Amino acid sequence: MRSRSNSGAMLDVYYHQLTIILDELQHPLTGLLSNRDPKAQYYHHAWMRDNVYCCLSTWGLSLAYRKCTTDRDSEARVNQLERSVVKLMRGLMMCMMMQSDKIETFKKSQHKYDCIHAKFDAATLGAACGDYEWGHLQMDAVAIYVLLLAQMTVSGLVIVQNHDEVAFIQNLVFYLENAYKTPDFGIWERGDKTNRGQVELNASSVGMAKAALEAIHDVDLFGARGSSQSTITCMPDEITQCNITLTSLLPRESNSKECDLALLPLITYPAFAVDDVKVRDQVRSLIVEKLEGNYGCKRFLRDGFKAATEDPNRLYYESYELITFENVECEWPLGLCFLLLDALYREDKDLVDKYRKKLDTLMVPCPELGFHVLPELYYVPFNNIEEERKQPRTQERLPAGKIPHFWGHSIWILTSLICDGLLSPGELDPLNRRLSNQERLDVIVQIAPVAENFDVKLALEEENIVVETAEELAESDMKLRLFHAHVFGSLLTRLGESPKMGLTGRFAHDIIGPEATSRFYVVKDTLLAFVPYFLNKQKFYLALDHQLILKQLGLMVQYFKLNWRGLGRPIVVLLITKEFLDPLTGKLSQLYLETLLKLRTGLLDGLRVNFGSVTEFYATSSIRRLGFLERIIDEERKNPLDSQPMVTHDMMDVPLLLKTGSWGEMPRMAKRMSVFRTIMTSKDILLSPPIDIVEESNRVPKVSTQTSFLTVSSNESLLSEEASSLKLSDIDSASDSDLIKLLHSSNSLNTQLDVLVFMHNKFGLDYEIRVGESCPSVKNLLKELYRRSSEVSAWSILRYSASMLQRNMDNVTSSICQILIRRKALSVGMPPEPREHTIFSPVTLDTFNDILEQSCGYSTPMAALTQEIIKFTALIMATQVELFTGMMRIRIGLIIQVLAMEIARSLNISVDNGMEYLLKLEPYCVYELVCQLFAGREIILSFTSRKVGEGQSDLSLVKYSKKDISQLKTSMHDIEEDEDFFEDWRYDDVPSYSRGTWLRRRRIDGSLTRTPPGFYQGVWKLLAKCHDGICVEDRMLYSIWTKEMTQDEMKFDLKIEEIFSRISEPEYRQILIESMMVLAKLVEKHYKDRVYPVIKLENLCKHANHLFIAEMGERYPNMSRETLLKGTRDISNFFYDSAPSGRYGTLTYLIRSTVMFLEATNSAKKGQDSPPMDCKIS
């Protein structure tokens, strides 16, 4: 243990160095650090990130001095260092506040040119360059500022000094909340590593934003003298989204960088953003293995910055030249500083000694400063390039770049203070972020039922379920006011508003997440609670399906088990409305009664829950104070809550009533559509001159949609067939006047839909029809049809009318985002392009509607069904992401097609009829089908005896097959190691129910874009040996791609997936993938030379099919050749339906076909004739 005097002397050494650096770099007026040499390239340019990291060492030294203040000189130095820190942090804040208009714009656009600048003029605090002159969008730079602002504030520094500045920091929080879905230029300011200005989603930016949001949450920026009105509020759901995105990205940095030095600050100080210890170790191991060198760490693989072979006159790189930087990338001592810091926090003494000795050897003298410093990087001299490529890490490197590199030198000072015992790691982390990897306790979700009114309460009490009404809670001592989730969203628009700076507060999002609504909120003496979003009254028909509502309750509990990190337990306020009651008896519906009784047992879907009243759960729930509302009440002398409606029933224009009817037919126009025509509207409506169009001068005022225009006398009449003299089969050729008469006289919802579909396609939504004395538009008639269909739960009619009315789910864009942040692209419509549109980044609702119209059209039910599948996919992905392993893209059109095929197979009907049944299924059943499809389980449906009405289905998902088809082995790795898998597979000894299994499996896997493990890495190795590339159905996979992209780059995977996604037939796609795997394995293990001719993959498959048919013809001489040849893309259906292995398996013939090609290629290369071969696999 060193004496205090010795410690003081050592601190003086570091103080002397920092004083010289600050005198050299810090501007006397603004406090920002920049190069003050007028001859420098970026004179007076102050980078935000560099300033914050440099400030870190000054703050750390002030903390060390606090413990050694033995005299007034030491106290003065503490004061000086702290004031320097405050001045720099406030200078950066002033720079950003001068660009508050950009924050306001960015909240809505998230565009790369609307962001805060990454560097500023150190003298004026203004912009150092224009919006288009630099890659300014760097989320991690803003995040590291917010993160250290929180740490420094908690340590005792007061940086923020008034409420306008608090509002600005709150808006920085809103800025960072979008990080999980905002591609940026990243920590190295280059975006894609070709440096062509292409932004990409970076793990370092997302992780730093997550850390910043967690750190600043509930921090009082005024310190010990503040109040709830100066406290920052972060939405927990946005933090969770950042965490989900970060988890899906790691261990990669981005699509173009498989490993990056920028990830080190995430797994150690200052971020500690990665909660999973295994993932931390994986990231660290990859960096040490692939990036660490003798002189530091490479930033990323094939990084050309400052390399001797880089062209300094060109900002961007050509794709082919990236491989010239391999093994000669510059090494940055900064990386060793972070590795040393990581070792210190992990208390690994051996690594501490190793990295400290390494760094000591890398220090170089700096005559201008008078002491040794760390350079920015070390490079390989041009004359040593070739030797270094042949034998990496053997050549001497020279220092270059900025000397000193103040960012790296600052981290070195910080590590030195800890190594010398002058500072403890915990003192730099007053928020204790280093403890974030500790195992969390099991989350118990609290579910509290609340009755909408007194009638509902009485119905519950009859079942011995005691609840309180919303009105009783408001009048109780708790003074709890219950609101719907969207009310919370409108209240949050006042959070962070500042008229002086033109800041309007939080942007009004469509959805408030489940974590935000699962807390109590305090505003003065009032307690607030919010109903989860899925219980809100919505305008989309999914809210009519009560089974789906209860399923979402179970999924919400699972979501909390995976993601809840708040203090206290989550509370779900289950609002029981009159829709939960049986409309005939007035008693609680059996479905809800069973669910409530199950909750009372303490288990829901096998997960622990607590069931009780709101009053009981108050003490154990998470509670937060909304200080911004209290400040608004004080300033405006009115409560914003008074203008917000509490939970009511009048939230939508569609009655939520469940009634039953009898079996009815599908609309006739819909019944004539095939699967393809249903998904892709291709029928042209022959336009005839319209009649009975009201002239402008005689137009009758439009009547409210609540007025009845369609004739329905009773529920029984809804089920009747058309009594009109006009036959339904003649609708296409009927005159307009006859159609109007039919519409007016019909009692059938199906007939009314037939007529309205025709009129919608022919005239559009705004066409006005004279019905008696009224003149409603087609749109108003469709609204009434929608309302009446909802009363009887006519699902097919609801899907048709919702599509034609162009209705959207309230959270459709949020569901899309949930899929995208898990690194899955989303395709809408049926292939090929441009009918199938692929979404790679979050879209606005208007953009999505345009995509939906182009891909599906609004005259078919596919627009509505597509939104259903998107929502269900997002729900499944939120809790069972492992089901999507091996998928790069979610293709909604193909999923709908496969569902129709599976229904048709299960019921032994045509695919067209399978699509009809799919449209009639209730949404919950469609959800179950989608879930079983992703899980790989066989779908089995049966008819029920229940009485159903028009547009309804009498099908139910009765059981799942015990045989999980997802377990059928297709991985080359599995095939090689499982000897029993090579047993013969014969058509004559296969039970009839098993025929078609492998064809179905390939269709399903192709539709879901599944690939075997190691597929993309195998293709990369194959392409590296193919001189001229590989052709897949006239689309080339070029060998040059391996010179641009490394083996584990996501960018390479996306390129390969794009090629295969252009194949419309899913089973053909899977055969091509099997062929590619065979080719890759054979070339890797048995072919050392490069393959020169272009390999046409489809030819290998067709030749394999030819060999298969020849042997099958000999084996089964009585089978007609026409039957053998029948199949997609000239491939026999029998070949598609063969198991991968075995004597007659697809791999047998693919291997023989591939070996023949390679042998012929080898012989042609040697100038010999290709000998005939008969390659048999036993």
Side-chain angles (χ1 to χ4, degrees):
M1 188 73 180
R2 294 186 178 89
S3 66
R4 183 176 295 274
S5 60
N6 188 33
S7 298
M10 297 179 69
L11 286 174
D12 291 343
V13 174
Y14 297 119
Y15 174 80
H16 175 68
Q17 291 188 15
L18 275 178
T19 302
I20 294 176
I21 292 175
L22 292 176
D23 288 343
E24 181 71 20
L25 299 180
Q26 193 165 32
H27 195 279
L29 296 179
T30 64
L32 299 186
L33 304 176
S34 67
N35 195 328
R36 297 173 63 187
D37 182 3
K39 298 180 182 179
Q41 181 182 6
Y42 298 112
Y43 173 60
H44 268 181
H45 285 204
W47 273 263
M48 186 189 305
R49 183 186 304 102
D50 293 45
N51 270 256
V52 174
Y53 274 111
C54 290
C55 180
L56 196 56
S57 60
T58 309
W59 177 53
L61 186 58
S62 71
L63 293 175
Y65 261 116
R66 282 185 185 179
K67 300 189 297 182
C68 302
T69 52
T70 57
D71 50 30
R72 294 191 61 182
D73 288 342
S74 298
E75 293 179 358
R77 288 180 178 180
V78 171
N79 185 52
Q80 177 191 353
L81 291 170
E82 289 182 347
R83 287 179 180 273
S84 177
V85 171
V86 172
K87 186 172 186 178
L88 189 149
M89 295 293 285
R90 285 192 58 79
L92 288 174
M93 183 170 61
M94 293 302 111
C95 290
M96 291 186 284
M97 289 178 71
M98 293 175 67
Q99 296 187 351
S100 57
D101 58 323
K102 290 185 173 295
I103 292 183
E104 190 64 22
T105 305
F106 187 83
K107 285 189 292 187
K108 302 174 183 178
S109 70
Q110 285 97 54
H111 195 274
K112 62 181 179 180
Y113 296 129
D114 295 333
C115 63
I116 297 175
H117 283 197
K119 61 179 182 177
F120 307 95
D121 190 307
T124 65
L125 301 180
C129 57
D131 294 344
Y132 301 89
E133 297 173 10
W134 199 263
H136 286 296
L137 182 52
Q138 299 169 33
M139 302 297 287
D140 73 293
V142 179
I144 188 64
Y145 175 84
V146 173
L147 171 60
L148 290 183
L149 173 67
Q151 294 275 26
M152 292 173 181
T153 301
V154 173
S155 74
L157 300 183
V158 180
I159 299 169
V160 177
Q161 298 177 359
N162 58 59
H163 282 292
D164 287 317
E165 293 175 0
V166 171
F168 178 77
I169 299 300
Q170 182 67 65
N171 276 269
L172 285 185
V173 168
F174 302 151
Y175 184 92
L176 293 175
E177 282 180 349
N178 296 302
Y180 69 92
K181 57 181 179 179
T182 305
D184 67 346
F185 291 100
I187 195 171
W188 311 123
E189 306 184 321
R190 292 192 164 201
D192 183 275
K193 67 181 179 184
T194 56
N195 201 23
R196 291 178 174 268
Q198 299 174 359
V199 293
E200 56 182 358
L201 200 61
N202 293 284
S204 57
S205 296
V206 177
M208 196 62 74
K210 169 186 177 277
L213 294 173
E214 289 176 335
I216 200 71
H217 175 57
D218 275 346
V219 169
D220 190 335
L221 295 182
F222 289 174
R225 299 181 180 181
S227 66
S228 61
Q229 299 180 13
S230 54
T231 300
I232 296 298
T233 299
C234 298
M235 291 295 102
D237 295 280
E238 309 303 327
I239 299 174
T240 298
Q241 299 310 311
C242 286
N243 188 54
I244 291 171
T245 307
L246 178 63
T247 303
S248 65
L249 281 167
L250 292 175
R252 293 183 174 100
E253 159 69 353
S254 64
N255 286 347
S256 70
K257 304 181 187 75
E258 64 172 90
C259 186
D260 199 303
L261 170 61
L263 297 177
L264 274 178
L266 299 190
I267 64 174
T268 184
Y269 188 82
F272 295 108
V274 183
D275 300 330
D276 192 330
V277 177
K278 292 182 180 179
V279 177
R280 285 189 185 185
D281 295 339
Q282 184 183 12
V283 172
R284 184 186 304 108
S285 298
L286 283 174
I287 291 174
V288 170
E289 176 188 348
K290 296 186 176 183
L291 302 182
E292 185 183 347
N294 298 327
Y295 294 84
C297 293
K298 304 168 186 176
R299 299 194 304 179
F300 49 87
L301 298 179
R302 298 183 180 178
D303 174 25
F305 181 71
K306 295 288 186 180
T309 54
E310 182 189 37
D311 184 355
N313 300 317
R314 181 159 43 89
L315 285 175
Y316 64 91
Y317 303 122
E318 299 293 349
S319 299
Y320 62 83
E321 71 175 314
L322 286 178
I323 197 172
T324 63
F325 304 129
E326 193 167 68
N327 294 331
V328 296
E329 303 95 334
C330 294
E331 294 182 357
W332 294 55
L334 172 67
L336 297 181
C337 292
F338 276 114
L339 286 172
L340 174 56
L341 198 58
D342 177 56
L344 287 167
Y345 274 95
R346 291 189 295 121
E347 299 181 353
D348 190 328
K349 295 181 180 180
D350 293 337
L351 285 180
V352 169
D353 294 338
K354 171 189 172 182
Y355 289 125
R356 198 173 189 196
K357 289 176 182 178
K358 257 191 176 185
L359 286 168
D360 288 343
T361 63
L362 299 178
M363 305 289 284
V364 297
C366 181
E368 294 84 357
L369 300 179
F371 51 87
H372 284 65
V373 297
L374 277 180
E376 182 177 24
L377 52 85
Y378 281 85
Y379 75 102
V380 180
F382 187 81
N383 295 334
N384 299 344
I385 289 289
E386 290 303 322
E387 290 298 323
E388 180 69 12
R389 285 176 180 161
K390 294 177 183 177
Q391 296 181 320
R393 304 182 183 181
T394 60
Q395 301 301 304
E396 182 181 0
R397 292 172 178 253
L398 301 177
K402 299 174 183 176
I403 301 177
H405 183 230
F406 294 110
W407 176 4
H409 196 75
S410 175
I411 303 298
W412 176 82
I413 291 177
L414 211 58
T415 58
S416 298
L417 289 171
I418 299 175
C419 289
D420 293 338
L422 304 172
L423 190 66
S424 67
E427 290 176 285
L428 287 170
D429 184 29
L431 287 169
N432 293 324
R433 291 200 48 75
R434 64 194 182 281
L435 306 179
S436 62
N437 62 341
Q438 291 186 350
E439 187 175 350
R440 296 181 295 114
L441 297 176
D442 184 34
V443 177
I444 300 177
V445 182
Q446 303 169 140
I447 300 179
V450 174
E452 180 188 39
N453 53 43
F454 191 72
D455 293 337
V456 175
K457 179 180 179 179
L458 290 177
L460 289 168
E461 288 178 347
E462 289 181 8
E463 306 294 343
N464 295 322
I465 301 175
V466 180
V467 297
E468 300 161 299
T469 66
E471 186 176 352
E472 288 174 342
L473 288 172
E475 296 173 354
S476 67
D477 294 338
M478 291 181 65
K479 296 183 179 179
L480 185 141
R481 302 177 67 177
L482 188 60
F483 298 94
H484 283 291
H486 71 276
V487 174
F488 193 27
S490 63
L491 292 175
L492 291 175
T493 58
R494 303 295 303 273
L495 175 62
E497 65 178 0
S498 175
K500 295 179 183 178
M501 291 187 290
L503 298 173
T504 58
R506 192 174 192 267
F507 183 63
H509 292 284
D510 293 334
I511 295 237
I512 296 296
E515 291 187 64
T517 58
S518 299
R519 289 168 162 84
F520 288 122
Y521 295 89
V522 178
V523 180
K524 289 189 177 295
D525 59 346
T526 303
L527 192 65
L528 307 182
F530 298 94
V531 177
Y533 191 84
F534 68 87
L535 290 174
N536 278 12
K537 302 298 188 293
Q538 304 170 23
K539 294 185 178 181
F540 203 68
Y541 60 83
L542 293 185
L544 301 171
D545 190 345
H546 288 227
Q547 276 188 296
L548 184 62
I549 290 175
L550 293 178
K551 183 62 181 180
Q552 290 182 78
L553 175 63
L555 292 174
M556 190 175 185
V557 172
Q558 293 182 45
Y559 178 84
F560 286 145
K561 293 284 184 179
L562 294 173
N563 300 296
W564 182 265
R565 287 173 174 79
L567 296 176
R569 293 175 176 174
I571 178 169
V572 179
V573 179
L574 185 62
L575 182 65
I576 311 294
T577 64
K578 66 180 182 180
E579 286 77 44
F580 288 43
L581 309 182
D582 189 304
L584 299 178
T585 64
K587 294 184 178 181
L588 188 64
S589 168
Q590 186 66 26
L591 176 66
Y592 285 101
L593 177 60
E594 292 175 358
T595 302
L596 293 177
L597 294 177
K598 188 185 299 183
L599 290 172
R600 184 184 281 177
T601 66
L603 288 175
L604 180 64
D605 296 337
L607 301 174
R608 289 181 60 194
V609 296
N610 278 354
F611 186 73
S613 67
V614 174
T615 307
E616 292 174 8
F617 293 145
Y618 175 76
T620 56
S621 299
S622 178
I623 304 174
R624 290 175 56 183
R625 180 173 290 275
L626 299 179
F628 74 97
L629 283 180
E630 296 177 349
R631 184 170 59 86
I632 291 172
I633 293 172
D634 294 338
E635 293 177 355
E636 299 181 0
R637 302 298 180 185
K638 63 178 181 179
N639 193 339
L641 294 171
D642 295 338
S643 60
Q644 299 292 343
M646 293 180 63
V647 287
T648 62
H649 181 60
D650 304 322
M651 298 298 298
M652 67 183 296
D653 59 354
V654 180
L656 300 176
L657 301 175
L658 289 177
K659 297 182 180 179
T660 58
S662 62
W663 174 255
E665 299 257 341
M666 276 285 292
R668 273 47 174 194
M669 290 183 67
K671 198 169 185 177
R672 290 194 294 270
M673 292 185 180
S674 66
V675 173
F676 175 79
R677 292 185 61 197
T678 305
I679 295 177
M680 292 305 309
T681 308
S682 58
K683 182 177 179 180
D684 294 326
I685 304 297
L686 298 176
L687 296 178
S688 58
I691 65 170
D692 208 10
I693 297 180
V694 182
E695 296 294 332
E696 190 70 32
S697 57
N698 298 324
R699 183 167 294 169
V700 180
K702 291 185 178 181
V703 187
S704 167
T705 57
Q706 298 299 325
T707 304
S708 177
F709 299 120
L710 304 178
T711 304
V712 177
S713 58
S714 67
N715 286 342
E716 290 301 322
S717 66
L718 295 177
L719 312 177
S720 64
E721 287 296 331
E722 182 52 51
S724 171
S725 60
L726 177 65
K727 295 182 180 180
L728 289 171
S729 60
D730 298 331
I731 283 183
D732 291 352
S733 58
S735 67
D736 295 343
S737 57
D738 289 340
L739 288 175
I740 293 172
K741 291 178 182 177
L742 177 61
L743 182 67
H744 185 55
S745 60
S746 171
N747 292 329
S748 168
L749 292 178
N750 279 334
T751 302
Q752 293 168 357
L753 177 63
D754 280 331
V755 175
L756 290 176
V757 167
F758 181 81
M759 302 190 82
H760 169 270
N761 294 342
K762 188 173 182 180
F763 303 118
L765 285 174
D766 295 329
Y767 177 65
E768 294 179 334
I769 304 170
R770 188 178 297 281
V771 181
E773 298 181 357
S774 303
C775 188
S777 64
V778 173
K779 183 175 183 179
N780 284 341
L781 291 172
L782 281 171
K783 285 183 177 180
E784 183 176 346
L785 181 65
Y786 184 94
R787 184 170 63 252
R788 294 195 169 176
S789 301
S790 69
E791 294 175 358
V792 293
S793 300
W795 300 112
S796 64
I797 300 175
L798 281 169
R799 289 181 173 108
Y800 265 99
S801 52
S803 293
M804 288 186 289
L805 288 170
Q806 302 179 21
R807 289 197 172 182
N808 296 113
M809 288 191 308
D810 291 358
N811 60 344
V812 64
T813 54
S814 176
S815 296
I816 292 171
C817 190
Q818 292 302 309
I819 296 172
L820 296 177
I821 66 175
R822 290 171 173 85
R823 316 303 295 146
K824 314 293 180 187
L826 179 68
S827 295
V828 177
M830 281 291 288
E833 296 180 351
R835 293 179 303 187
E836 184 182 45
H837 189 100
T838 303
I839 303 172
F840 294 100
S841 58
V843 294
T844 63
L845 186 59
D846 291 339
T847 303
F848 175 70
N849 284 335
D850 292 340
I851 293 171
L852 208 58
E853 183 174 13
Q854 295 169 14
S855 302
C856 303
Y858 284 119
S859 57
T860 74
M862 289 303 105
L865 189 57
T866 293
Q867 294 182 74
E868 279 187 60
I869 305 297
I870 290 174
K871 179 182 177 65
F872 298 156
T873 302
L875 288 175
I876 297 167
M877 200 175 284
T879 55
Q880 302 179 71
V881 70
E882 66 278 359
L883 296 181
F884 299 85
T885 302
M887 300 183 198
M888 298 287 292
R889 183 179 308 216
I890 307 297
R891 306 180 76 175
I892 301 299
L894 287 180
I895 289 174
I896 293 174
Q897 186 181 57
V898 168
L899 288 176
M901 290 179 176
E902 286 294 286
I903 292 173
R905 178 199 55 79
S906 180
L907 300 177
N908 196 23
I909 57 178
S910 68
V911 177
D912 286 359
N913 289 333
M915 176 60 72
E916 293 180 18
Y917 280 110
L918 176 61
L919 292 174
K920 289 181 177 180
L921 288 175
E922 58 268 28
Y924 173 74
C925 193
V926 176
Y927 165 83
E928 288 291 340
L929 291 178
V930 174
C931 193
Q932 300 314 310
L933 184 68
F934 282 123
R937 288 192 282 267
E938 187 175 356
I939 296 172
I940 300 178
L941 294 162
S942 69
F943 292 102
T944 63
S945 58
R946 63 180 178 177
K947 185 179 180 182
V948 295
E950 287 184 307
Q952 296 178 337
S953 172
D954 58 348
L955 293 179
S956 65
L957 194 62
V958 293
K959 63 177 181 179
Y960 308 129
S961 173
K962 294 182 180 179
K963 183 176 69 173
D964 190 336
I965 65 172
S966 68
Q967 295 175 356
L968 298 177
K969 300 177 183 178
T970 56
S971 168
M972 294 293 295
H973 175 75
D974 293 338
I975 291 167
E976 288 175 354
E977 297 188 357
D978 190 352
E979 296 179 358
D980 295 336
F981 199 62
F982 281 91
E983 296 179 358
D984 285 359
W985 189 90
R986 309 174 190 277
Y987 285 97
D988 53 358
D989 58 9
V990 174
S992 59
Y993 65 83
S994 295
R995 293 177 184 174
T997 297
W998 281 104
L999 174 58
R1000 287 179 49 244
R1001 172 64 196 269
R1002 289 186 171 100
R1003 279 179 178 166
I1004 291 173
D1005 281 353
S1007 300
L1008 300 180
T1009 69
R1010 277 201 180 106
T1011 55
F1015 172 71
Y1016 297 107
Q1017 291 83 353
V1019 175
W1020 189 94
K1021 294 177 183 177
L1022 174 62
L1023 274 181
K1025 285 189 175 182
C1026 294
H1027 183 273
D1028 297 324
I1030 303 172
C1031 181
V1032 180
E1033 290 294 329
D1034 298 327
R1035 295 178 179 86
M1036 287 298 300
L1037 279 67
Y1038 295 101
S1039 178
I1040 197 174
W1041 290 353
T1042 61
K1043 296 183 178 180
E1044 174 191 354
M1045 295 167 280
T1046 55
Q1047 181 177 333
D1048 294 319
E1049 273 188 37
M1050 178 73 75
K1051 187 178 177 181
F1052 178 80
D1053 300 354
L1054 292 171
K1055 271 188 173 291
I1056 302 302
E1057 168 58 30
E1058 183 182 1
I1059 297 295
F1060 280 96
S1061 68
R1062 294 177 182 272
I1063 299 169
S1064 303
E1065 300 84 0
E1067 63 270 30
Y1068 182 54
R1069 167 201 161 100
Q1070 290 308 104
I1071 285 291
L1072 288 174
I1073 285 178
E1074 289 179 33
S1075 180
M1076 183 75 83
M1077 288 291 289
V1078 168
L1079 179 62
K1081 287 288 183 181
L1082 288 175
V1083 170
E1084 179 185 2
K1085 292 188 175 182
H1086 305 293
Y1087 206 89
K1088 298 180 180 179
D1089 299 329
R1090 289 177 66 82
V1091 182
Y1092 277 87
V1094 174
I1095 302 175
K1096 292 191 175 182
L1097 198 63
E1098 61 271 21
N1099 288 351
L1100 297 182
C1101 293
K1102 290 177 181 178
H1103 187 218
N1105 179 66
H1106 175 74
L1107 296 173
F1108 173 81
I1109 290 176
E1111 290 198 7
M1112 289 298 103
E1114 295 176 0
R1115 184 176 176 81
Y1116 303 102
N1118 295 330
M1119 185 179 294
S1120 67
R1121 186 168 180 80
E1122 182 180 352
T1123 302
L1124 272 175
L1125 294 176
K1126 185 178 180 181
T1128 304
R1129 296 284 187 110
D1130 299 326
I1131 304 290
S1132 171
N1133 279 336
F1134 290 98
F1135 190 65
Y1136 284 127
D1137 199 28
S1138 297
S1141 66
R1143 174 64 183 84
Y1144 300 101
T1146 55
L1147 291 181
T1148 299
Y1149 299 98
L1150 288 172
I1151 290 172
R1152 289 172 58 185
S1153 173
T1154 305
V1155 169
M1156 289 178 181
F1157 168 79
L1158 293 177
E1159 287 295 331
T1161 300
N1162 196 35
S1163 299
K1165 181 181 177 182
K1166 296 177 181 179
Q1168 303 172 357
D1169 294 331
S1170 176
M1173 290 187 62
D1174 185 18
C1175 179
K1176 294 185 178 180
I1177 307 298
S1178 60

